[in-house]
Amino acid sequence: HVHESVDEGVDARDDWARRRRKGIPTDKQLLVVACMDERIPVEDALGLSLGDAQIYRNAGGKVTDDVIRSAALTTQYFDTTEIIVVNHTDCGMMSASDEDVIEGFEAAVDGDLDDVDLDPALPELNIGDASLAEWVRMTDDIDAACAAQVEYLENHDLIPDDVSVTGYVYEVESGHLRRPGERVAEQVNERV
Amino acid sequence: HVHESVDEGVDARDDWARRRRKGIPTDKQLLVVACMDERIPVEDALGLSLGDAQIYRNAGGKVTDDVIRSAALTTQYFDTTEIIVVNHTDCGMMSASDEDVIEGFEAAVDGDLDDVDLDPALPELNIGDASLAEWVRMTDDIDAACAAQVEYLENHDLIPDDVSVTGYVYEVESGHLRRPGERVAEQVNERV
Amino acid sequence: HVHESVDEGVDARDDWARRRRKGIPTDKQLLVVACMDERIPVEDALGLSLGDAQIYRNAGGKVTDDVIRSAALTTQYFDTTEIIVVNHTDCGMMSASDEDVIEGFEAAVDGDLDDVDLDPALPELNIGDASLAEWVRMTDDIDAACAAQVEYLENHDLIPDDVSVTGYVYEVESGHLRRPGERVAEQVNERV
Amino acid sequence: HVHESVDEGVDARDDWARRRRKGIPTDKQLLVVACMDERIPVEDALGLSLGDAQIYRNAGGKVTDDVIRSAALTTQYFDTTEIIVVNHTDCGMMSASDEDVIEGFEAAVDGDLDDVDLDPALPELNIGDASLAEWVRMTDDIDAACAAQVEYLENHDLIPDDVSVTGYVYEVESGHLRRPGERVAEQVNERV
Amino acid sequence: HVHESVDEGVDARDDWARRRRKGIPTDKQLLVVACMDERIPVEDALGLSLGDAQIYRNAGGKVTDDVIRSAALTTQYFDTTEIIVVNHTDCGMMSASDEDVIEGFEAAVDGDLDDVDLDPALPELNIGDASLAEWVRMTDDIDAACAAQVEYLENHDLIPDDVSVTGYVYEVESGHLRRPGERVAEQVNERV
Amino acid sequence: HVHESVDEGVDARDDWARRRRKGIPTDKQLLVVACMDERIPVEDALGLSLGDAQIYRNAGGKVTDDVIRSAALTTQYFDTTEIIVVNHTDCGMMSASDEDVIEGFEAAVDGDLDDVDLDPALPELNIGDASLAEWVRMTDDIDAACAAQVEYLENHDLIPDDVSVTGYVYEVESGHLRRPGERVAEQVNERV
Amino acid sequence: HVHESVDEGVDARDDWARRRRKGIPTDKQLLVVACMDERIPVEDALGLSLGDAQIYRNAGGKVTDDVIRSAALTTQYFDTTEIIVVNHTDCGMMSASDEDVIEGFEAAVDGDLDDVDLDPALPELNIGDASLAEWVRMTDDIDAACAAQVEYLENHDLIPDDVSVTGYVYEVESGHLRRPGERVAEQVNERV
Amino acid sequence: HVHESVDEGVDARDDWARRRRKGIPTDKQLLVVACMDERIPVEDALGLSLGDAQIYRNAGGKVTDDVIRSAALTTQYFDTTEIIVVNHTDCGMMSASDEDVIEGFEAAVDGDLDDVDLDPALPELNIGDASLAEWVRMTDDIDAACAAQVEYLENHDLIPDDVSVTGYVYEVESGHLRRPGERVAEQVNERV
C-alpha cells in the first residue's frame, strides 16, 4: 500500500524534527570547532552534509570556556565521539598587536574595562588576575595555535578520554586543508 | 591585452587571501550568532554565500563571554554593523533538566567540578558565586530565549550602539525561520 | 527488427489511451481524497506520478455523497484497493463561522435557499431536515476532522471492507504530512 | 541590512501558511473542476503552478451538489472569478451501462440500496424520486457532457453571474486539450 | 599505451567515413519510407539515432519508381533487411482534388503538360497511357494508403522476399504512431 | 482569465494538426532534397527544427521524376520558395560500377528486368529507350553530381522561376557542408 | 572517524602539489609533442585529462634540441614511457617559402642574423654551417613531416629504446586525427 | 533564405580550416610560453578558449632557441602582439642537482655526450664551450626563473619591441597564478 511509504516519510520527519529529545546523535557523531571567518566553507572542506556534525565557531577557533561547555554537553549527552578543530591562514586574530586591541576596547567603553561584564548572562564570570589580552587570545603562528587547541581538548577533564581530536589549518589562499606545520606552499618554490 | 584580465584575477585572489590584514570587511558586514546544531543550514536559511558573514556558533546560540569577545572584535575592527541571532526548535538545551546535566558532569570528572578549569587556556577564568547550571544555560522556552539573547547584545558596552541586532527561531520541523513568539504552526489547526 | 520495438510503443499508447475500457486499473490501485486548496501538492506529498492514482478533491477534503459515488465506482469497477485522505492546516473550512457562511449564501441568492437546487443535474437531491450548515460542513479542528473522514469511509457499505483507508494532515506551514493529532510543531518549543 | 531580506522571507511564509484566514485568494483566482482520472495532468495541461488554482476533482468531472458547495464557497469567500471544467476521453463514466453499474452496487451492499446513506456525514441527504443511475451519472458522449457541465455552473444561483466558466476535453490519447466538439483527430484522416 | 585508444578512435572514424565503400551496413539494417512533411520527427518517432537507418522521404510517402530504385539498391547491396513505411494524418496529398492539382500544373507550364519531361535527368521516362493524376497520387484515406504502400513493397520483384515490411500512420495531432486502421482517437469519445 | 492562454494553446495545436488543409506553409518555406544515407543529420547540418522544412530524401539525392512531383506540389500549393540539395561524400551511388549493379538486379529478378514494373502503383511508367543504368543513376564525382542536380531543378518547367535553388556536399568524414567543388580538406596538407 | 577521510584528502593534495619531488610520474606516463597552433585541442583529441600527460608544444610540432632536452628529462627521470607526436593540417609552417621567412627575419633585426643569439639564455648555442632556414624548419607536406618527427625520436640516443613513439595528423578542417598518409577526405569523393 | 545562414556556416568553417594560409591571426593575438607539466591547466588558468592563443610548452617553460624560433615566427607573420610566460611551483626542473642530471644522461648514452646530436634534424647545432648543464637549464628559484624568462623575451632582437611580455607563476598547490615574487601563501601564517 502507498500509505506505508508515506508513513516512512512521516516517521523520518519526526526523527529529524525531534532528534534531540529522542536521543538521536548527529549522523557522524562529530563536533567541529572552527573559526567564524566568512571565508571558511566548513562543511565543504570536511565533506559534511546537513545533519552530519555540530559546528562550533568563534573568533579564532580557540578553545574557550564556551567550547568546553559545548563540547562537554555533546560528548556526554549526544553521543559525539570525535572533535575536529579548524583554524585558518590570514585569521583576524593575527591582524593586530595585543596592545592595539586592548586600546580599542578601552576607547569603546570609554572608561575602565574592569567594570564591563564579560558575560552579560552570567555577570559573576571573571578572569581573576589574568590580563584582558589573555582573554582576547590573539595569535602569533596559526600552525602552533591549531596544535595547542587540539591539546587543550585532549587533556580536559570534561571531554571523555576516548574522544578523537584532530586539527587542521584551512588555507584561504588555496582552498585546501593542511595538517598543522605542513606548509606545502613553502616547500615547492626552490630546488630540492 | 590578455594579461590585464589575468591581473584582475591575481588581484582578486590576493584580496580574498589577505582580506583580514588588508582591512577588507565581510561582504555583508554581518555576524551571525547561531546554535551549533547539525540541522541548521545557517547560510541557506539567511540567504548567505561564502564571504558574506562571519558565523559564530555554540551550544544553544547563547550570548556567552566568547560571543562578546568575538562580536566586540568584529564590530570594532572588521567593520561589522549587523548581528543576527538564530536559535531553533528542539534545541539540545531543552532536552534535559539542570540537575541531570550537572549530575552527569560530576560523574564525568569523578569528583568536584570546582577543581576543573572551565577555560583550559585561561585557568584564571571563574564564575564566582554563580552555579554551574547558570554557566551551562539550559533553556525553557526557545522564543523567550531568543529574545533574551538579542537584548544581551543590544545592551552590551563592547558592542557599538548603532549595530543592528535581530533574532529568529529556525524551525527544524518546517525548515523556516520565524520571529520569536510568532508560532505560525500553532495558529492554523483550528477554526478562527 | 525495429518494427518490434515500435509495436511495443504503439501497444503501450493504446493501453494508456484506452485504459479504462480495457479494464486496466491505476498503477497504484489508489484513490486519494484531498482538499481542493491551491497549496496542496498532492502528488508530490504522496510520492505519486501521473498514472498512479485517482485524485478526488473538494472543499475541505470531506466525505460527501459525491465522494461515496466516486469511491464506490473505483473500488468496485476499477480495482482500487486503497484510499488516502489528505486534509490540511489553514483550511478555508476553518476561516469563518457557520452563521457567516449561511448569511453570505442567502445574500447571494437574494431570497430563500430552500428554493435553490443543491445539485443542478439532479434536482431531486435534498437534505431533508438537515440544516444547510451541515451540508456546507465547516471544520473546528483539522486533526479531528481528518480522523472522522477516515471513519466515514471505513464504515460505508459501498466501500468494500478490505479497502485500506488512511488519513494525513498536510501542513501548509511546513510542507510535511503528519498523522492526525501528531502536531510535531507544538512539541519542540519548550523544555521536555 | 540582511535582516530586511530575511524578514521578507518570514512574511512571505506567513502569507502562504495563513493565506486563507488572511483573506488572500489563489494566485489566478481560479477553480478547476476536473475528473479524478489518474491520466489527467491537470496543472500541466492548464499551465498552472502550485498556488495558482483550487482544483476540484470527482468521478467524471460532473457538477454535483459537492461541486456547487465548493464553487459557491470559493467564489463568494475566496475571490475566485473563473471556473474551468476539464473532462476527458476514455472516461470511466463511459465504460459500462447504467444497468451494470447499479447491479454491481446492489451486489456490493447485498440488499436494498435504499437503506444506504448516500452521504455518511449527512444521512438526511436523499435523491427523492430520482433513480440511483441518475445519481451515478454515467456518460454517453464526452463532448456533450462537458458542454452540459459548463451550462450547469453558468446558470446556478449560488455562482455569481460574472464568474467566467469554460470547458475543455482533455484527450488522453494525444495529451492535448480541445474545446467540446472540436475533434481534430477525426478531421485529418481523409481527403478534404 | 595511450596511442592504442587513440588508434581505436582513428579506426572508428575511418569506418564511419568510408562505411559504404567498406561494405558496412546501416546499424539497424533498416530503410524507412516516409512522407516529406515538415511535422514528422521520423527518427524520434521510430527511436532511431544517426547511423541507424536510411530514410527515404517524398510527397506522401508513396511507393514510386524512385522508392523501388532506392529500396532495391539498399536491400541488394547494403544488407538492408527491413523497411518501415510512415504516412501521416493531415497529409498534403489529401488537401485538394485531383482536378485542382492538374489544373494548377497546367497553368504553371502555361501549355501542355505532355511536353514536360517528368524526369529531367532521364527524358525517356514517361507514363504511357496513364493520367497525370495517377502520377501525382493524391490520397483519399491515409490508413488505406499506408496499407497499400506496404503491399506494393512486399510484392515487388526487386525487393527480396525475406525483407520485413511494416507500415504506420503518424498522427500529427497526437505525436503518436498507429497501425493503419487503428484510429484510437475515434474510439474513446463515447460510451462503450 | 486563464482560459485565454489555454485557448491560445488549443488554437496553436489546431494550426499544427491541420496545417496543410488550413493552407499554412512550412516555417521556412523550404524543401530539402537530400540523400537517404544514414549518416546525414539533415536538420542539424542546415540548422533546421521540426516544422521548418519538408525533406525529400532518396538514394543519392538525385533529381528524379518523384522529386519533380514533390517539388512541383510544394512550390505551387504550399508556398515553398526555396530548395536546398544535399549530396554527400562516400555516397553509396559511388560504391560500384554500373555493370555490377545491373547484373545484381538481373540476378535478383531471375530473368528479364524489362518485365518488372518500375513503379508498382503506376505500371504504365517506363523509361523508353533509356538503359536501366541511366535509371539507377550511379555517380562518378560527388561535387559534379551536386551541381547537376541544382541545374535540373533550376531549369524545370514545373518549378517556378523565382524559387531559390542551392546545393551543398555534406562531408561524412568531417561533419561539415561544403559548396560543390570547394574541397577544403585537399588544400591544407601542403606548402602553399 | 571523519578525520580519516579528511586525511586522505590532505594526502592526495600533498601528492599532487609535490608530485615531482616525490617522484610520482604523470598518470599516463605520456609525453605529447604537438604544434602550438591555437586550433589544436590537444587534450580532447587524445582523450586526456589534467594530470595525464606532459605536453610539449612548439611551432610546427618539430623535434628540436629543446624537444630532445624535454623528452630526455621526462623519459629518464619521470618514468615516461610513451611519446605521441601531433602535427596538423594548415600548419603555419606551410604558409610561406623559406626565402620569405628569412627575408622577414633579416628585416626585423635590421642587419645580419649571424649577430643574433639564437638562444638568449645560452649564447654559445649555434648552428655551425647550417642555414637559418634549416633552423626555422618550414614544412612541405604535413604527413611526411609527421612521419619524420617520429623517426627522429625513435632513433635518438637520449630517448630509451623501449619508449613507444606514435604520430598523428590532426585535421583542423574535420576535428579528427589521422595516421600520417591516411587522407580519408581525399578518398571519398569519387566512384571507387 | 535558409541557404544564406548555411553559407555563413560554410564560410566560417573555411576561415577556421584555412586560417593560417588566409592570414587570420589567433583570436587574442597571444602566444603563451608555459611548462609542459601535466598539472598546468594553461587555458583555464588564463581564461582562454580554443582559437584564442598559440601555446608553446617545454620542460620548465624556459626561453630556448626553439622558443625564439616560434615566437619570432608568430610575432612577425601571424600578428601576435602579446606573450605570457607561465612557470609553476614544484617544477621538475627543481627536482634534482645539475650533477645528477648530467650523470644520468651520460649513463643513458653509455659514453660521451659530445657525440650525441642535440638536435637530430639539425646535427650542426651545438653549444660551443657551454656545459651541458647550461643547456639542460635546471632551476633554483621559480620566481626568479620566471622573471628571467620575461627579460629574455623582452630583449631579444627577433621579438618586436612593442610585443607585451608578462610572466606568472602557477601554484600547483593552490590552483592560482601569482606574479613572480608575490608568494601570498608565505604571508598569511603569522601575526602581522
Side-chain angles (χ1 to χ4, degrees), chain H residues 122-133:
Chain H
L122 186 67
E124 296 88 346
L125 183 140
N126 66 83
I127 57 171
D129 294 336
S131 74
L132 205 65

Side-chain angles (χ1 to χ4, degrees), chain B residues 1-8 10-11 13-14 17-18 21, chain H residues 46 82 164 166 168 171 174 176-177 179 184 187-188 190 192:
Chain B
H1 284 134
V2 170
H3 78 81
E4 287 158 339
S5 72
V6 174
D7 277 340
E8 280 177 32
V10 169
D11 289 340
R13 186 259 182 135
D14 193 79
R18 302 200 298 142
R21 57 197 63 201
Chain H
L46 296 173
E82 181 179 9
S164 158
T166 322
Y168 298 98
E171 303 177 352
S174 75
H176 291 288
L177 293 170
R179 277 182 284 259
V184 176
Q187 303 169 17
V188 289
E190 277 146 54
V192 291

Side-chain angles (χ1 to χ4, degrees), chain F:
Chain F
H1 284 134
V2 170
H3 78 83
E4 288 159 339
S5 73
V6 174
D7 276 340
E8 279 177 33
V10 169
D11 289 341
R13 186 259 181 133
D14 193 79
D15 281 353
W16 178 263
R18 301 199 299 142
R19 190 181 251 218
R20 207 78 316 134
R21 56 199 63 201
K22 285 175 108 168
I24 302 171
T26 66
D27 293 350
K28 300 288 190 195
Q29 295 176 262
L30 171 67
L31 170 69
V32 178
V33 176
C35 183
M36 71 186 193
D37 193 277
E38 74 275 19
R39 293 166 293 174
I40 318 303
V42 178
E43 291 84 352
D44 285 355
L46 297 172
L48 302 174
S49 301
L50 195 70
D52 278 355
Q54 292 166 329
I55 301 180
Y56 185 104
R57 301 180 68 174
N58 67 9
K62 302 296 186 189
V63 176
T64 62
D65 73 298
D66 199 1
V67 170
I68 294 302
R69 179 182 71 89
S70 301
L73 286 168
T74 193
T75 53
Q76 296 195 27
Y77 299 108
F78 308 151
D79 291 327
T80 293
T81 60
E82 181 178 11
I83 301 176
I84 292 178
V85 175
V86 179
N87 289 302
H88 69 102
T89 55
D90 191 52
C91 185
M93 304 309 290
M94 300 189 298
S95 63
S97 68
D98 283 10
E99 296 70 34
D100 287 350
V101 174
I102 300 306
E103 266 176 45
F105 278 16
E106 280 167 348
V109 302
D110 197 17
D112 196 341
L113 278 168
D114 289 351
D115 298 344
V116 174
D117 290 336
L118 293 182
D119 185 334
L122 187 67
E124 296 87 345
L125 183 140
N126 67 83
I127 57 169
D129 293 337
S131 72
L132 205 63
E134 288 176 277
W135 177 73
V136 172
R137 289 159 231 247
M138 298 301 283
T139 305
D140 287 317
D141 176 304
I142 197 61
D143 297 81
C146 183
Q149 310 312 311
V150 170
E151 216 168 318
Y152 287 138
L153 287 166
E154 281 178 339
N155 296 337
H156 201 278
D157 287 344
L158 282 170
I159 313 296
D161 287 348
D162 56 358
V163 168
S164 159
V165 186
T166 321
Y168 298 96
V169 173
Y170 177 81
E171 303 176 353
V172 293
E173 72 276 16
S174 76
H176 291 288
L177 293 171
R178 70 178 184 227
R179 278 182 284 260
E182 297 187 355
R183 299 182 184 173
V184 176
E186 298 186 1
Q187 303 169 17
V188 290
N189 300 305
E190 277 146 52
R191 177 113 67 142
V192 291

Side-chain angles (χ1 to χ4, degrees), chain H residues 135-148:
Chain H
W135 176 73
V136 172
R137 291 158 229 246
M138 298 302 282
T139 305
D140 286 316
D141 175 305
I142 196 60
D143 296 81
C146 184

Side-chain angles (χ1 to χ4, degrees), chain A residues 98-184:
Chain A
D98 283 9
E99 294 71 34
D100 286 350
V101 175
I102 301 306
E103 265 176 45
F105 277 15
E106 280 168 348
V109 302
D110 197 17
D112 196 339
L113 278 169
D114 288 350
D115 298 343
V116 174
D117 290 338
L118 293 181
D119 185 334
L122 186 68
E124 296 88 345
L125 183 141
N126 67 81
I127 57 171
D129 293 338
S131 74
L132 205 63
E134 288 176 277
W135 176 73
V136 171
R137 293 158 226 247
M138 298 302 282
T139 305
D140 286 317
D141 176 306
I142 197 60
D143 296 82
C146 183
Q149 310 312 311
V150 170
E151 215 169 317
Y152 288 138
L153 286 165
E154 282 178 336
N155 296 337
H156 201 278
D157 287 344
L158 281 169
I159 313 293
D161 286 348
D162 57 358
V163 168
S164 157
V165 186
T166 322
Y168 299 98
V169 172
Y170 177 81
E171 302 176 353
V172 293
E173 71 277 16
S174 76
H176 292 288
L177 292 170
R178 71 178 182 227
R179 277 182 284 261
E182 297 187 355
R183 296 183 185 172
V184 176

Side-chain angles (χ1 to χ4, degrees), chain A residues 4-181:
Chain A
E4 288 159 337
S5 72
V6 174
D7 276 340
E8 279 178 32
V10 169
D11 289 341
R13 186 257 182 137
D14 193 79
D15 281 353
W16 179 262
R18 302 199 299 142
R19 189 181 253 219
R20 208 75 319 133
R21 58 196 62 201
K22 286 175 106 167
I24 302 170
T26 66
D27 293 350
K28 301 288 189 194
Q29 294 175 262
L30 171 66
L31 169 69
V32 178
V33 176
C35 182
M36 72 186 193
D37 193 278
E38 75 274 19
R39 292 165 295 174
I40 318 303
V42 179
E43 290 84 352
D44 286 355
L46 296 172
L48 301 174
S49 300
L50 195 70
D52 278 354
Q54 291 166 329
I55 301 180
Y56 185 104
R57 301 181 67 174
N58 66 8
K62 301 295 186 191
V63 175
T64 62
D65 73 299
D66 198 2
V67 169
I68 294 303
R69 179 182 71 90
S70 301
L73 285 168
T74 192
T75 53
Q76 296 197 25
Y77 298 108
F78 307 151
D79 291 328
T80 293
T81 60
E82 181 179 11
I83 301 176
I84 293 179
V85 175
V86 180
N87 289 303
H88 69 100
T89 55
D90 192 51
C91 183
M93 304 309 289
M94 300 189 296
S95 63
S97 67
D98 283 9
E99 294 71 34
D100 286 350
V101 175
I102 301 306
E103 265 176 45
F105 277 15
E106 280 168 348
V109 302
D110 197 17
D112 196 339
L113 278 169
D114 288 350
D115 298 343
V116 174
D117 290 338
L118 293 181
D119 185 334
L122 186 68
E124 296 88 345
L125 183 141
N126 67 81
I127 57 171
D129 293 338
S131 74
L132 205 63
E134 288 176 277
W135 176 73
V136 171
R137 293 158 226 247
M138 298 302 282
T139 305
D140 286 317
D141 176 306
I142 197 60
D143 296 82
C146 183
Q149 310 312 311
V150 170
E151 215 169 317
Y152 288 138
L153 286 165
E154 282 178 336
N155 296 337
H156 201 278
D157 287 344
L158 281 169
I159 313 293
D161 286 348
D162 57 358
V163 168
S164 157
V165 186
T166 322
Y168 299 98
V169 172
Y170 177 81
E171 302 176 353
V172 293
E173 71 277 16
S174 76
H176 292 288
L177 292 170
R178 71 178 182 227
R179 277 182 284 261

Side-chain angles (χ1 to χ4, degrees), chain H residues 86-149:
Chain H
V86 179
N87 290 302
H88 68 101
T89 55
D90 191 52
C91 185
M93 305 308 290
M94 300 189 298
S95 63
S97 67
D98 282 9
E99 295 71 32
D100 287 350
V101 174
I102 301 307
E103 266 176 44
F105 278 16
E106 280 168 348
V109 302
D110 197 15
D112 196 340
L113 279 168
D114 288 350
D115 298 343
V116 174
D117 289 337
L118 294 181
D119 184 335
L122 186 67
E124 296 88 346
L125 183 140
N126 66 83
I127 57 171
D129 294 336
S131 74
L132 205 65
E134 287 175 278
W135 176 73
V136 172
R137 291 158 229 246
M138 298 302 282
T139 305
D140 286 316
D141 175 305
I142 196 60
D143 296 81
C146 184
Q149 310 313 310

Side-chain angles (χ1 to χ4, degrees), chain B residues 57-109:
Chain B
R57 301 180 68 174
N58 66 10
K62 302 296 186 189
V63 175
T64 62
D65 73 299
D66 199 1
V67 170
I68 294 303
R69 180 181 70 92
S70 302
L73 286 167
T74 193
T75 53
Q76 295 196 26
Y77 299 108
F78 307 151
D79 291 327
T80 293
T81 60
E82 181 179 10
I83 301 176
I84 293 179
V85 175
V86 179
N87 289 303
H88 69 101
T89 55
D90 192 52
C91 184
M93 305 308 290
M94 300 190 298
S95 63
S97 67
D98 283 10
E99 294 71 32
D100 287 350
V101 174
I102 301 307
E103 266 175 44
F105 278 16
E106 279 168 348
V109 301

